[in-house]
Amino acid sequence: MTDQKIKNMEDFAAVSGISRPTISKYFNDPDSVRKSTREKIETALEKHDYRPNIYAVNQNRRQTKNIGLVVPNLTDPFFAGFARTIEGLVVEAGFNPLLLSSHGGPEQELANLDSLRSIKPAAVLMAPLGRASLVERVAEFTNEVPTVLFDANLEGIGEAFFGSDNNQSISLIVDYLCRSGEPPVFFELKAPINPNAYKRRTAYIDAMERLGHEPNLIQVDGQGWNFEEIGFREGERILTNQRLPSNTILCSNDRLAIGLLSAAFENGLKVGLDAGASLRIAGHDDHPFSRFTCPSLTTVSQDYEAIAARSVETVLSLVDSRERPKTREEILFEGKLVMRGSA
């Protein structure tokens, strides 16, 4: 027996070296985990003299085993990848993930929350639309149901938010592009719906000024989630009619960059690093398709596996404790530069 005080399953997971989802699964049904894992858990229980709150465990068994998962648009492989990772972790913990897509619309986002409210989920993981979200209505839901936000933040809403550090990631790629060639212009929507886009705009301006370069924004019209189409249409217009102040273009996200790459090809412009190339194009997110463009897209990867894992761990902790935390947790994860052929 050790002297260390174990307060909850999260503490027990830390000292036992067993994942929090696996421990939760064991307490819900010991036979649901492998024999070797079960023996390891039971040995750790003896060593640390830990016993779960039986009342809380029984309460958890009486509530639904459903955990809601709401994303902006499942046709986007980026969010499909997020959802796939989260679903696997939720299933591993012995819960049933219920996946809903908002299809880029605030009314559908609310309809998804109403659907979840009717089945009384144990908790909800939500990637909100962001600026398009009907924030007060979303807040009403999160006051009723334990909710963790990821990807896009709605300030003060939900028990926690986990996302990417846009200041760090944009600074990283601006530094690289300035070191390796001409300082980049920034290609973005005038009025994006995702709050990450505004943070990336500000981060680009700050990074350029820090390096002694003048920021240049290319802001284009477009609505909705058809970013490739917007990148292609507006990219063609700009490449045909506008003299660019730099041969390097940093796009606010990879999907805009994919459309812009296509526009460059249609206009006979070679993109890349060799002497015959007239443009460099880079993006952000490391979209699943970015490695298969021609040339492959230089970008910054988001650590969506870490974001997903922390989001699920926090939701399971909320379900386990059945208590709302006094303070809202917020963690940003750093991105990594992915150098490919386009820049």
Side-chain angles (χ1 to χ4, degrees):
M1 188 184 303
T2 65
D3 294 329
Q4 184 172 354
K5 181 66 174 176
I6 308 300
K7 298 178 181 178
N8 51 42
M9 287 191 200
E10 198 166 74
D11 288 349
F12 180 65
V15 299
S16 65
I18 303 164
S19 74
R20 170 62 178 76
T22 300
I23 289 171
S24 178
K25 192 174 181 181
Y26 168 84
F27 283 125
N28 280 310
D29 179 8
D31 291 332
S32 67
V33 301
R34 290 180 297 181
K35 181 181 178 183
S36 58
T37 303
R38 185 166 66 248
E39 290 172 350
K40 187 176 179 182
I41 291 172
E42 289 168 354
T43 299
L45 287 171
E46 287 261 340
K47 178 180 178 182
H48 299 286
D49 192 30
Y50 171 65
R51 293 295 178 269
N53 184 328
I54 299 300
Y55 173 76
V57 171
N58 287 337
Q59 285 293 96
N60 286 340
R61 284 175 178 164
R62 282 197 290 272
Q63 72 184 179
T64 69
K65 300 292 291 179
N66 300 321
I67 290 182
L69 173 56
V70 181
V71 297
N73 199 323
L74 269 178
T75 63
D76 187 331
F78 177 77
F79 287 110
F82 248 127
R84 185 166 55 248
T85 302
I86 289 174
E87 279 186 312
L89 294 170
V90 169
V91 169
E92 182 185 347
F95 287 82
N96 306 314
L98 299 176
L99 177 58
L100 298 169
S101 172
S102 299
H103 303 294
E107 294 298 336
Q108 184 59 49
E109 184 172 75
L110 291 181
N112 290 338
L113 297 182
D114 285 339
S115 296
L116 290 171
R117 184 186 277 116
S118 68
I119 62 172
K120 299 180 180 178
V124 168
L125 289 149
M126 180 182 184
L129 296 174
R131 297 178 68 87
S133 294
L134 300 174
V135 177
E136 290 185 3
R137 298 279 299 280
V138 174
E140 289 174 7
F141 176 85
T142 62
N143 288 336
E144 300 171 22
V145 180
T147 304
V148 169
L149 303 186
F150 65 96
D151 183 63
N153 196 10
L154 300 178
E155 296 292 339
I157 292 179
E159 274 67 39
F161 166 72
F162 304 107
S164 293
D165 187 342
N166 290 292
N167 287 327
Q168 178 269 340
S169 59
I170 288 293
S171 178
L172 186 66
I173 196 164
V174 169
D175 283 352
Y176 165 72
L177 293 173
C178 289
R179 286 197 316 271
S180 56
E182 293 184 11
V185 298
F186 193 67
F187 184 76
E188 63 166 351
L189 297 180
K190 284 181 183 176
I193 60 175
N194 191 303
N196 287 320
Y198 287 91
K199 293 174 181 176
R200 292 172 190 176
R201 175 191 297 171
T202 301
Y204 163 78
I205 293 171
D206 291 344
M208 290 287 283
E209 290 178 344
R210 174 176 54 79
L211 294 171
H213 301 299
E214 181 181 354
N216 283 284
L217 303 177
I218 300 177
Q219 298 181 320
V220 299
D221 294 318
Q223 294 182 339
W225 289 78
N226 298 320
F227 296 116
E228 293 88 355
E229 180 183 337
I230 295 168
F232 177 76
R233 182 189 68 238
E234 294 299 310
E236 273 210 317
R237 181 180 62 81
I238 288 165
L239 294 175
T240 302
N241 302 322
Q242 185 172 331
R243 182 177 177 83
L244 295 175
S246 171
N247 70 359
T248 304
I249 304 175
L250 172 59
C251 297
S252 180
N253 63 59
D254 283 355
R255 294 182 62 190
L256 281 174
I258 289 169
L260 183 60
L261 281 171
S262 182
F265 178 81
E266 288 292 322
N267 281 270
L269 298 173
K270 186 174 182 180
V271 177
L273 298 168
D274 61 82
S278 54
L279 275 180
R280 294 193 304 160
I281 295 174
H284 191 290
D285 294 337
D286 198 19
H287 188 280
F289 294 166
S290 62
R291 71 187 64 187
F292 302 116
T293 58
C294 188
S296 56
L297 184 63
T298 291
T299 183
V300 180
S301 67
Q302 295 193 50
D303 194 351
Y304 72 86
E305 289 189 358
I307 295 170
R310 187 58 182 265
S311 299
V312 173
E313 286 173 9
T314 302
V315 154
L316 293 176
S317 179
L318 291 171
V319 173
D320 183 32
S321 67
R322 298 182 64 82
E323 293 180 359
R324 297 295 184 98
K326 294 180 180 179
T327 58
R328 183 178 189 262
E329 186 178 13
E330 185 171 319
I331 297 178
L332 301 178
F333 292 81
E334 292 189 348
K336 294 181 180 179
L337 180 65
V338 182
M339 294 177 288
R340 299 194 181 108
S342 69

